[in-house]
Amino acid sequence: MREQFGATVTELLEHDPRTALVLADIGTAQFPDAARDHPDRVVNVGIREQLLIGVAGGLALTGMRPIAHTFASFLIERPFEQVKLDLVHQGVGAVLVSAAGSYDWPAGGRTHMSPGDVALLDTLPGWHVHVPGHPAEADLLLRHAVAAADTLQYVRLSAHQNAERQPVVPGRFLTVRQGSRLAGVVLAVGPMLDAVLEATETLDVTVLYAATVRPFDAVGLRAALGGRADAVLVEPYLAGTSERAAHRALEGLPHRVLGLGVPVAEHRHYGSVPEHLAAYGLDAAGLHAAIASYLW
């Protein structure tokens, strides 16, 4: 996804003079030609993540469409005050594009893990949040985010991805597998789709796919429910992040919602991505056990 990000943003910089890219050392190797060709619109602030957001806010105030990029822990968590004040409070738009996510680089340790990024953004108004599960989806969603002028957009890239792209539409949930009218619904977010499909292969459930989680597609979730208003949310970040949004979507219906994702408890061993997913119960075996025991 990061390779696709580099190619997409390079093209946008070439064809859209309003677009600007702000980096904090991370990712600079992807843009040598763009930095040479557009020195006024490709800015590297060094290892100063608060300044990264401040510069993005300043560019937005001049009418530019800034794209700010670094690891999620440095893009959302470290400069959260600047996200709140320099972007949201000032009423300007920007596109924040993260990498590394919740568990992409275990060897980097806790400093490079950010399972709480989407939950943090949920404390602020107006954010659109995209979680692509494939590089082609990242390209589509990034172009959509940049084109949505003067809005606040967050695109969460990951090294964890699905084997195939899905025909996603920004802001809409996609039905990937249809269960019976008595089935519950499992919503797979971004790179969790492949594991969810494997986990539910023998279960009578409807599987929805979300590459955009904010705004939350309340209409799509309600439409997917048959005679049983039970929903399981499988997200590649903090467990339960979208539970409140799901409860609001199902308001007025007797329902249950289970949120699966990265636990609050910290796993201190480095390990590998598959080992972290297994430890969190987010591999196919863990998801099957959790979903089956909840719905039946």
Side-chain angles (χ1 to χ4, degrees):
M1 292 191 203
R2 290 188 73 193
E3 291 179 4
Q4 182 62 62
F5 165 72
T8 301
V9 172
T10 297
E11 181 183 330
L12 291 171
L13 287 165
E14 186 65 30
H15 294 100
D16 184 356
R18 189 175 175 229
T19 303
L21 174 65
V22 191
L23 302 169
D25 270 4
I26 291 169
T28 55
Q30 292 182 271
F31 300 99
D33 295 340
R36 180 197 63 222
D37 296 341
H38 312 288
D40 56 333
R41 292 190 286 123
V42 179
V43 182
N44 178 21
V45 302
I47 307 175
R48 300 175 180 88
E49 286 81 9
Q50 289 89 345
L51 181 59
L52 173 80
I53 300 302
V55 168
L59 287 168
L61 284 171
T62 71
M64 302 292 287
R65 185 61 168 157
I67 303 167
H69 171 67
T70 186
F71 292 164
S73 54
F74 307 148
L75 185 66
I76 303 299
E77 293 181 333
R78 182 173 293 174
F80 182 70
E81 182 179 14
Q82 283 68 39
V83 172
K84 179 177 71 174
L85 299 179
D86 295 357
L87 297 179
V88 178
H89 183 64
Q90 290 196 123
V92 296
V95 181
L96 305 187
V97 183
S98 72
S102 305
Y103 43 70
D104 279 20
W105 190 23
R110 186 64 171 174
T111 56
H112 290 71
M113 297 179 176
S114 182
D117 55 344
V118 177
L120 264 178
L121 286 182
D122 273 348
T123 67
L124 301 174
W127 280 95
H128 300 245
V129 179
H130 310 283
V131 189
H134 188 276
E137 297 169 17
D139 174 66
L140 183 151
L141 294 169
L142 180 58
R143 293 177 188 276
H144 166 82
V146 173
D150 304 323
T151 60
L152 291 166
Q153 305 272 340
Y154 179 46
V155 183
R156 192 182 201 266
L157 306 181
S158 180
H160 180 203
Q161 66 183 58
N162 302 313
E164 299 180 2
R165 69 178 297 179
Q166 297 295 325
V168 298
V169 175
R172 298 280 299 276
F173 295 165
L174 174 70
T175 301
V176 178
R177 180 183 293 157
Q178 184 68 57
S180 72
R181 293 287 296 172
L182 298 178
V185 170
V186 180
L187 175 66
V189 175
M192 299 312 308
L193 178 61
D194 280 0
V196 166
L197 289 173
E198 183 180 348
T200 59
E201 189 172 7
T202 61
L203 303 178
D204 181 18
V205 295
T206 293
V207 176
L208 297 182
Y209 177 57
T212 298
V213 292
R214 302 290 182 275
F216 191 86
D217 184 8
V219 173
L221 180 60
R222 290 180 72 105
L225 294 168
R228 181 172 180 175
D230 291 338
V232 179
L233 315 178
V234 184
E235 303 178 274
Y237 35 78
L238 199 63
T241 295
S242 293
E243 281 187 15
R244 182 171 62 174
H247 282 302
R248 287 178 175 173
L250 302 178
E251 188 174 4
L253 294 175
H255 67 274
R256 299 186 305 156
V257 175
L258 172 66
L260 302 176
V262 180
V264 172
E266 182 179 341
H267 287 66
R268 294 177 175 268
H269 296 289
Y270 290 145
S272 63
V273 170
E275 287 173 327
H276 276 262
L277 291 170
Y280 304 151
L282 294 179
D283 61 350
L287 290 173
H288 177 86
I291 295 168
S293 64
Y294 184 72
L295 295 179
W296 286 277

